[in-house]
Amino acid sequence: MTYCREAARETPVAHEFDVIVCGAGPAGVSAAVAAARNGAKTGLIEVKGCLGGVWTAGLLAWIIDHENKTGFMKELREDILARQAGEIAPHSSSLAFDVEEMKILLEEKCLEAGVHVRLHTRVVAAQTDGDRRLTHVITESKSGREAWKANVFIDATGDGDLGAAAGCEFELGQPESGRTQPMSLLCLLTGISLEEVADVVNGHCEDWGPSKARLKAEMDQGGVEPSYALPTLFHLADGLFMLMANHQYNVLAIDADEVTRATLAARAEIHRQVRALRSLGGRWKNLRLVATGEQIGTREGRRLAGRYRLTRDDLLAGARFEDAVCTCTFGIDVHSPDPDKCKGIASSGKYRTQPYDIPLRALISKDFDNLMMAGRCISGDFLAHSSYRVIGDVVPMGEAVGQAAARGCRTEA
């Protein structure tokens, strides 16, 4: 490899906050709102053009494991339902919602709380004081290269980008192979009615398995075998559906070339799937693709080292912790990393888990005293991560670290 030497430069400190949250997905928004509501001057940095991350830019309009959650998750759930912008399917406890309504709701929550929001901005580096503390994050945007100073930092980037830039220890993939779970690009569909397709819609059949099998059979009949063996159709609102029907294997979330390849392949596959279903005529004759996600759905990136590491054994034992931030009820859910063995859920799903707690210690960096994590980049092993990564759990994680960060700032003051 050859290198290009860049000239040394001074980067202006453009912003100073008590708390800076990097990443404005469900965990990051929750963290920022919680910190601001608890009196901290809070900045929220997001690379996309909207808040919500995988919920909005990724079109994942289906919230799992939310029903036992209080606090901000309950608040969002109630607001979505009050706006008539979501529903809970008759045979599911998960919450479906309108993506555009979620975008504006999250923006309203941040602005009402006094969060300083910056979109279209990527975190590219971090500065430390050499004594276990971060001092600045460095970003790139249309405004150029900028430094942001804070007392406490929260990594809610999903892939642990801030922690990695600071030099934190992390794990990635299966310990034995390094493989990660496959990615999936989601899309929105219209032109079909719930009454006609209910037998293949998740949550509108008593058992999710047959609905997926029937949908796969229809795709097969149209001449396209989906790369995900359990393709799933979700009802979001009258005439609006979400489809998850692809798996992109052997892709590392921290390699831009691989993520690009996966995104292009997934989008092409989605178009083939939609054409295949439409070719069947009948209930599919008016099927139309409304949108594919701006970002591909990433199940797994870096898992940053924390002061506690959640493990499979914690899930099997139903571990309880004094510093619990939430209780998870979702089981181990590994989308098989190896398509030669399985194109659905891996056999590691055979473990029988119990409801378990996530401790705040797993959300505090082992390497830095003023760095916290929220979302799927918290500290845990491969199998535990496959459970706590779901959206209903990352929201209370974000809320907890936002509150803790604000308290930490008051203590330092």
Side-chain angles (χ1 to χ4, degrees), residues 336-405:
S336 173
D338 187 350
D340 294 330
K341 293 182 179 178
C342 174
K343 291 186 177 181
I345 306 302
S347 59
S348 44
K350 66 184 179 183
Y351 298 113
R352 191 175 185 85
T353 63
Q354 302 293 328
Y356 65 95
D357 291 344
I358 295 179
L360 184 62
R361 286 166 289 162
L363 282 61
I364 301 174
S365 170
K366 178 179 74 69
D367 299 298
F368 292 96
D369 294 331
N370 65 336
L371 174 63
M372 307 181 79
M373 304 89 75
R376 55 185 171 82
C377 63
I378 71 165
S379 183
D381 70 15
F382 176 80
L383 291 175
H385 164 273
S386 74
S387 168
Y388 63 64
R389 65 179 172 81
V390 299
I391 302 300
D393 296 319
V394 307
V395 171
M397 288 186 213
E399 184 175 14
V401 296
Q403 292 170 345

Side-chain angles (χ1 to χ4, degrees), residues 304-316:
L304 299 176
R307 298 185 182 182
Y308 185 87
R309 179 174 178 267
L310 276 165
T311 68
R312 180 202 68 163
D313 291 342
D314 289 325
L315 277 61
L316 300 185

